[in-house]
Amino acid sequence: MRRKHLYLTPNEVAELLIVSPITVRQWAQRGLLPYVTTPGGHRRFRRADVEDFARRRGSNAVDDAAAAAPERILVVDDDPVFREFVTQLVSLAAPEVAVETAADGFEGGVKTQAFRPNVVLLDLRMPRMNGLEACRLLRSDPSLRSLRILAISAYHDAELARQVVEAGAEVCLDKPIEARHLLEALGLPHPTES
């Protein structure tokens, strides 16, 4: 029987927690997930710290046998062009994944209850209810414990990004974002070119 490694690479942590390696790096950079640095300059994460981190965030992902790609994605953004971009991108990369959109945090909350997405891509700056408020609202619902929330913003604000991650988002991504990075963050494959 193979012994569990005491230290994990960023990719192993990403696989274990069912997130992208980018998310793991950002958690580490923000001081949310402790790590050590090897003499070669690589990050390594103690398994016990990763398991504790997952428990604190209400995740049972460490105990899951296998990671599954999302079946339903909700894009909450007041920019119709960005909503269409994400819808088309997901359609090309994973046509079996259903995508719904909402124009603000309030509509996003209503659609989350009806659509029951696996992942919400949540813009931070929107009218009516901003992304931070929407994130807090979604995290206050115990029935949405397993929901992955990815925040995104065109206006880099380190303090707001920290607040949204503390409120329960996995990460705060910056716009503009490359298609392959967005797909990776969503947990979807990048379509291979023929």
Side-chain angles (χ1 to χ4, degrees), residues 96-116:
E96 70 283 2
V97 175
V99 179
E100 286 282 331
T101 63
D104 61 53
F106 181 79
E107 183 185 359
V110 171
K111 283 203 172 179
T112 297
Q113 293 300 324
F115 182 55
R116 305 306 279 187

Side-chain angles (χ1 to χ4, degrees), residues 8 16 20 75-76 105 107 110 136 156 160 170 188:
L8 303 171
L16 192 62
S20 73
V75 182
V76 184
E107 183 185 359
V110 171
R136 287 180 177 144
H156 181 73
L160 187 56
E170 280 183 18
L188 296 173

Side-chain angles (χ1 to χ4, degrees), residues 34-87:
Y35 65 93
V36 295
T37 306
T38 67
H42 302 284
R43 288 189 182 113
R44 295 295 179 260
F45 302 85
R46 281 184 354 113
R47 179 176 285 276
D49 289 338
V50 173
E51 290 171 354
D52 182 55
F53 175 78
R55 276 190 294 277
R56 282 193 324 260
R57 294 179 72 85
S59 171
N60 59 358
V62 173
D63 300 323
D64 290 347
E71 298 170 355
R72 294 172 307 284
I73 296 172
L74 177 62
V75 182
V76 184
D77 197 302
D78 60 330
D79 180 353
V81 174
F82 184 74
R83 292 193 309 263
E84 182 61 22
F85 163 73
V86 177
T87 301

Side-chain angles (χ1 to χ4, degrees), residues 2-169:
R2 196 173 149 205
R3 248 185 85 190
K4 287 184 179 179
H5 296 299
L6 182 61
Y7 287 91
L8 303 171
T9 66
N11 286 344
E12 289 170 333
V13 173
E15 186 177 329
L16 192 62
L17 297 182
I18 316 172
V19 297
S20 73
I22 291 173
T23 300
V24 174
R25 285 194 295 274
Q26 291 190 352
W27 282 338
Q29 287 169 347
R30 290 190 172 102
L32 299 170
L33 182 59
Y35 65 93
V36 295
T37 306
T38 67
H42 302 284
R43 288 189 182 113
R44 295 295 179 260
F45 302 85
R46 281 184 354 113
R47 179 176 285 276
D49 289 338
V50 173
E51 290 171 354
D52 182 55
F53 175 78
R55 276 190 294 277
R56 282 193 324 260
R57 294 179 72 85
S59 171
N60 59 358
V62 173
D63 300 323
D64 290 347
E71 298 170 355
R72 294 172 307 284
I73 296 172
L74 177 62
V75 182
V76 184
D77 197 302
D78 60 330
D79 180 353
V81 174
F82 184 74
R83 292 193 309 263
E84 182 61 22
F85 163 73
V86 177
T87 301
Q88 292 298 318
L89 180 65
V90 172
S91 173
L92 289 171
E96 70 283 2
V97 175
V99 179
E100 286 282 331
T101 63
D104 61 53
F106 181 79
E107 183 185 359
V110 171
K111 283 203 172 179
T112 297
Q113 293 300 324
F115 182 55
R116 305 306 279 187
N118 308 101
V119 179
V120 172
L121 182 62
L122 184 63
D123 187 34
L124 287 181
R125 298 195 188 262
M126 296 179 290
R128 291 178 70 191
M129 180 186 289
N130 69 37
L132 181 59
E133 293 169 308
C135 184
R136 287 180 177 144
L137 182 68
L138 293 173
R139 282 295 174 231
S140 71
D141 184 342
S143 73
L144 300 175
R145 246 181 77 184
S146 63
L147 177 66
R148 294 181 58 217
I149 300 173
L150 307 176
I152 191 162
S153 182
Y155 307 97
H156 181 73
D157 181 335
E159 177 58 20
L160 187 56
R162 183 191 63 74
Q163 288 175 8
V164 79
V165 169
E166 284 183 359

